[in-house]
């Protein structure tokens, strides 16, 4: 069942979404060759706690980090570790923050140092596809319209969409109904109505869409080990208008010269 939020609840969602956006802005300042992903995780956790939030991924079904770390062929759910970022890597940072009882969820994939043209193109297309999905998420549209917009945009550019993981409703829980797949047909799925809060999060592969889950039961990589990119916003339908509650503006402010 889809929990529709009151305008007051959506106001609270604004503050968790703003905080998760600021976390990614803070992490952005530190991303460079030579830093470990564990260090990024510590920075994020302290930032969240200092700002009155709760790191919602930490301990979620046993997940061991504040951040999900997605380096190169990691699609989602990588653990923070002693891995040291290298020039030419891409790193997705996905995290959820709880504030005043509501969640905010966002993800951004960064370039570390100088990355190849083909990786840059993947990042650009993936981020653009998120906004194509957002454009399709009009009042009265169906979730399938969003899915189809993301899928066609990426597939026309030669990329593939991961199917096993999806976007999702969000609110007091990080994952609520409905699922928001990154592939599918127009005209199917639930209708988007006022009070709905959900996340769109394309996970886009340079090669095939196939994935493998690692021995820890979490880390999801591409089967062909080609790179994957991931961006995510938390959204709310309020007064017939879709509002993007999270923002990448803090990232842009933090790394104006490196912002993709
Ligand atoms: N942020 C992820 C999502 O978009 C979920 C994180 S999984 C967790 O749904 F276990 F790390 F919390
Ligand atoms: Co999400």
């Amino acid at each position: 069942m889809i929990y529709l939020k009151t305008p007051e609840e959506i106001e609270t969602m604004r503050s968790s979404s703003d905080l998760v956006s600021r976390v990614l802005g803070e992490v952005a300042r530190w991303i460079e060759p030579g830093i470990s992903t564990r260090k990024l995780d510590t920075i994020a956790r302290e930032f969240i706690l200092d700002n009155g939030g709760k790191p919602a991924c930490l301990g979620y079904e046993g997940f061991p980090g504040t951040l999900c770390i997605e380096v190169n062929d990691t699609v989602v759910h990588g653990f923070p570790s002693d891995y040291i970022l290298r020039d030419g890597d891409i790193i997705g940072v996905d995290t959820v923050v709880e504030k005043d009882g509501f969640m905010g969820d966002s993800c951004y994939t960064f370039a570390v140092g100088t990355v190849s043209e083909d990786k840059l193109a993947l990042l650009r297309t993936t981020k653009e596809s998120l906004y194509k999905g957002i454009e399709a998420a009009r009042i009265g549209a169906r979730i399938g319209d969003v899915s189809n917009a993301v899928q066609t945009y990426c597939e026309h550019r030669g990329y593939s969409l991961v199917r096993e993981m999806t976007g999702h409703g969000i609110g007091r829980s990080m994952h609520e109904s409905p699922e928001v797949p990154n592939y599918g047909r127009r005209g199917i799925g639930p209708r988007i109505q006022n009070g709905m809060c959900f996340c769109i999060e394309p996970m886009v592969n340079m090669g095939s869409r196939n994935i493998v889950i690692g021995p820890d039961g979490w880390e999801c990589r591409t089967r062909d080990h080609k790179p994957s990119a991931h961006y995510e916003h938390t959204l709310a339908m309020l007064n017939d208008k879709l509002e993007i509650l999270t923002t990448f503006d803090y990232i842009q402010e933090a790394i104006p010269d490196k912002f993709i």
Side-chain angles (χ1 to χ4, degrees), residues 2-245:
I2 297 174
Y3 295 109
L4 299 177
K5 280 79 184 174
T6 64
E8 293 71 30
E9 288 172 323
I10 291 174
E11 281 312 306
T12 312
M13 291 276 300
R14 278 187 211 287
S15 92
S16 54
S17 299
D18 185 69
L19 180 52
V20 78
S21 306
R22 286 191 287 131
V23 173
L24 294 183
E26 179 61 23
V27 169
R29 292 176 205 284
W30 294 84
I31 290 183
E32 56 181 11
I35 194 166
S36 76
T37 60
R38 203 186 302 285
K39 175 84 182 166
L40 298 176
D41 195 67
T42 303
I43 289 160
R45 187 179 64 245
E46 287 173 356
F47 187 89
I48 292 167
L49 295 172
D50 286 349
N51 286 280
K54 217 182 107 191
C57 293
L58 189 60
Y60 177 83
E61 293 180 11
F63 190 80
T66 293
L67 304 178
C68 296
I69 298 287
E70 308 160 348
V71 178
N72 296 328
D73 66 344
T74 299
V75 178
V76 290
H77 300 162
F79 293 178
S81 73
D82 295 326
Y83 178 80
I84 305 283
L85 293 180
R86 300 160 61 142
D87 191 57
D89 284 344
I90 56 172
I91 177 177
V93 178
D94 182 7
T95 191
V96 187
V97 169
E98 180 179 342
K99 196 161 192 286
D100 305 325
F102 284 87
M103 304 287 177
D105 185 357
S106 187
C107 176
Y108 197 89
T109 305
F110 300 89
V112 182
T114 311
V115 312
S116 63
E117 264 313 312
D118 58 343
K119 278 182 170 172
L120 274 183
L122 172 70
L123 299 188
R124 286 199 195 98
T125 296
T126 306
K127 186 156 111 178
E128 286 159 8
S129 77
L130 166 58
Y131 291 101
K132 293 294 168 190
I134 291 171
E135 266 173 44
R138 299 198 178 93
I139 187 79
R142 292 189 185 267
I143 291 295
D145 302 333
V146 175
S147 306
N148 188 264
V150 171
Q151 179 181 20
T152 50
Y153 190 79
C154 296
E155 287 185 348
H156 281 160
R157 284 155 186 80
Y159 301 116
S160 64
L161 282 302
V162 172
R163 300 193 174 201
E164 289 80 354
M165 268 89 45
T166 67
H168 48 91
I170 186 168
R172 293 189 186 276
S173 306
M174 84 165 77
H175 295 142
E176 297 184 359
S177 280
E179 283 194 348
V180 185
N182 295 303
Y183 69 96
R185 293 188 355 251
R186 272 187 295 206
I188 64 166
R191 254 185 218 292
I192 300 171
Q193 45 182 316
N194 282 318
M196 266 175 75
C197 294
F198 56 100
C199 296
I200 302 178
E201 50 178 318
M203 291 152 253
V204 180
N205 294 353
M206 196 182 287
S208 90
R209 69 175 178 81
N210 299 302
I211 55 155
V212 282
I213 308 285
D216 59 25
W218 280 98
E219 194 180 54
C220 167
R221 292 181 182 245
T222 58
R223 199 173 72 189
D224 58 15
H225 297 302
K226 292 190 180 163
S228 185
H230 183 196
Y231 293 85
E232 176 172 16
H233 275 315
T234 296
L235 311 158
M237 185 58 80
L238 179 65
N239 302 323
D240 294 350
K241 209 177 138 282
L242 190 75
E243 301 210 26
I244 309 179
L245 300 182

